[in-house]
Amino acid sequence: AIEPFISGVYAGDPKRLSIRAAIPRIYALEEKHGSLIRGAIAMGRVRKGMGLPKGRMISFQQGMGELPAGIVKQLPEGSVRSGCRVVGLTRLESGWQVAWQQSGESGHHQAEHLIMALPASAAAGLIRPMSEQAADLLEDISYAPIATLAVGHTQKQVGHPLNGFGFLIPRREKIRLLGGLFSSTLFKDRAPEGRTLITAFMGGTMDQGFEDLSDDAVLGQMLLDLSQTLKIDGEADFAHLTRYERAIPQYVMGHGQRLAKLDQTLDEACPGLIHRANWSGGVSVADCVLNAERCAQSLAQHIAL
């Protein structure tokens, strides 16, 4: 039960991932109740007794880009500079100076507080001039490569009823596909009447040789695995492949200790620097939103003091 969940969410090896760091809720259930099943039953009773709502899937009509665009609309006009590259950080007596470049332009921006929300390798590059040790710790955080495929068929072509969330495939099945989401079932208007949209995933740290495959080879393998898994007959209406070389950070054994050492090192070398990214505190959008909200509240209280 755990292996396909880990490979589906983290695209990682459950033998190497730290459950305590990657899935703290599952770790806590097992620690408190002695087993995942007893813990899940107990948690269900608590949620029901408190009248808490069930979790639900959410998305955006025009894609995930609507989330940051919506945040920008809530901020003062002109307070956000997007599409630029940060090329350097300088610690000042009164805060920070950020050097940026954009379309041949360059400039600096000064701020009293700095929150760095970047992939680990990008953060390492900016931190290295101030702390080699912190940069090395960030570089040690590995990522899983992933390919996603959005594929459309007519409903008549698909033998499976697509009556659920999606599917995950255990590695023991010897199928390279990690799993998929029934996107047109989950969200309205994702496909025209009589047609389906499926989002599939392939890759991960356990798929040896995946990174060496051509796009055509990955596309062909994913379409073949989808056809076999969901009983699809005939060619797709369309298939859109996207590959991510560094998609999902891996919370491998010792990740918690690595982050603790990183925080200690940054406190000494870069006092006042705050980091928030999906390599700490959870990889999901929900985790990132929750951690960002907590960060903002903490910083607001600090400023008020």
Side-chain angles (χ1 to χ4, degrees):
I2 292 296
E3 186 270 319
F5 173 75
I6 293 295
S7 63
V9 175
Y10 281 88
D13 184 349
K15 294 180 180 179
R16 296 188 63 233
L17 258 61
S18 166
I19 295 297
R20 187 171 189 173
I23 318 172
R25 294 184 186 90
I26 287 181
Y27 176 84
L29 287 179
E30 199 277 336
E31 281 286 290
K32 183 176 181 179
H33 300 283
S35 82
L36 297 182
I37 295 177
R38 285 198 295 268
I41 293 173
M43 182 59 67
R45 289 171 178 168
V46 170
R47 292 182 64 86
K48 185 175 181 180
M50 296 177 64
L52 295 175
K54 294 182 179 180
R56 63 188 181 94
M57 288 287 293
I58 64 169
S59 187
F60 301 89
Q61 192 69 32
Q62 301 300 322
M64 293 300 296
E66 283 195 47
L67 178 57
I71 294 174
V72 170
K73 290 181 180 179
Q74 302 300 315
L75 298 172
E77 186 175 354
S79 64
V80 175
R81 177 180 289 274
S82 60
C84 63
R85 179 181 177 86
V86 175
V87 294
L89 300 177
T90 304
R91 185 79 172 93
L92 306 174
E93 289 186 11
S94 58
W96 293 89
Q97 179 174 274
V98 179
W100 54 267
Q101 292 179 350
Q102 183 179 27
S103 302
E105 294 185 64
S106 61
H108 298 84
H109 185 81
Q110 293 187 11
E112 184 177 351
H113 302 278
L114 177 65
I115 300 173
M116 186 169 59
L118 295 170
S121 59
L126 293 173
I127 290 296
R128 190 167 295 281
M130 294 176 280
S131 173
E132 290 279 348
Q133 184 180 14
D136 288 343
L137 288 168
L138 286 165
E139 289 284 7
D140 284 343
I141 298 174
S142 61
Y143 282 70
I146 289 291
T148 68
L149 177 68
V151 58
H153 295 88
T154 64
Q155 288 183 342
K156 293 180 180 180
Q157 288 179 273
V158 184
H160 191 283
L162 305 183
N163 54 344
F165 171 87
F167 63 99
L168 297 171
I169 303 177
R171 297 301 83 201
R172 69 178 62 187
E173 297 292 337
K174 306 302 181 183
I175 296 176
R176 294 191 82 163
L177 204 66
L178 292 172
L181 299 174
F182 302 152
S183 300
S184 53
T185 300
L186 291 170
F187 306 111
K188 294 176 60 177
D189 303 324
R190 282 294 190 267
E193 187 71 26
R195 283 176 163 75
T196 66
L197 176 63
I198 299 168
T199 305
F201 307 89
M202 177 176 157
T205 61
M206 296 179 68
D207 191 338
Q208 299 297 321
F210 166 76
E211 293 177 278
D212 298 326
L213 295 175
S214 67
D215 288 354
D216 287 343
V218 173
L219 176 61
Q221 185 68 58
M222 295 182 78
L223 289 174
L224 175 63
D225 290 349
L226 271 177
S227 296
Q228 294 177 345
T229 304
L230 301 178
K231 301 178 181 178
I232 298 175
D233 182 28
E235 295 185 0
D237 287 345
F238 72 90
H240 181 72
L241 178 72
T242 306
R243 297 183 72 165
Y244 303 92
E245 182 180 349
R246 296 169 60 84
I248 305 175
Q250 300 296 291
Y251 290 27
V252 297
M253 297 297 291
H255 190 72
Q257 293 91 324
R258 180 181 297 106
L259 293 183
K261 182 63 176 178
L262 174 64
D263 288 339
Q264 178 184 349
T265 306
L266 288 177
D267 285 343
E268 297 171 356
C270 312
L273 175 66
I274 302 171
H275 66 77
R276 281 294 177 272
N278 66 350
W279 41 264
S280 174
V283 301
S284 72
V285 173
D287 285 332
C288 291
V289 170
L290 179 60
N291 291 332
E293 183 178 7
R294 289 172 175 170
C295 176
Q297 291 174 346
S298 176
L299 185 56
Q301 292 175 356
H302 175 77
I303 293 174
L305 294 176

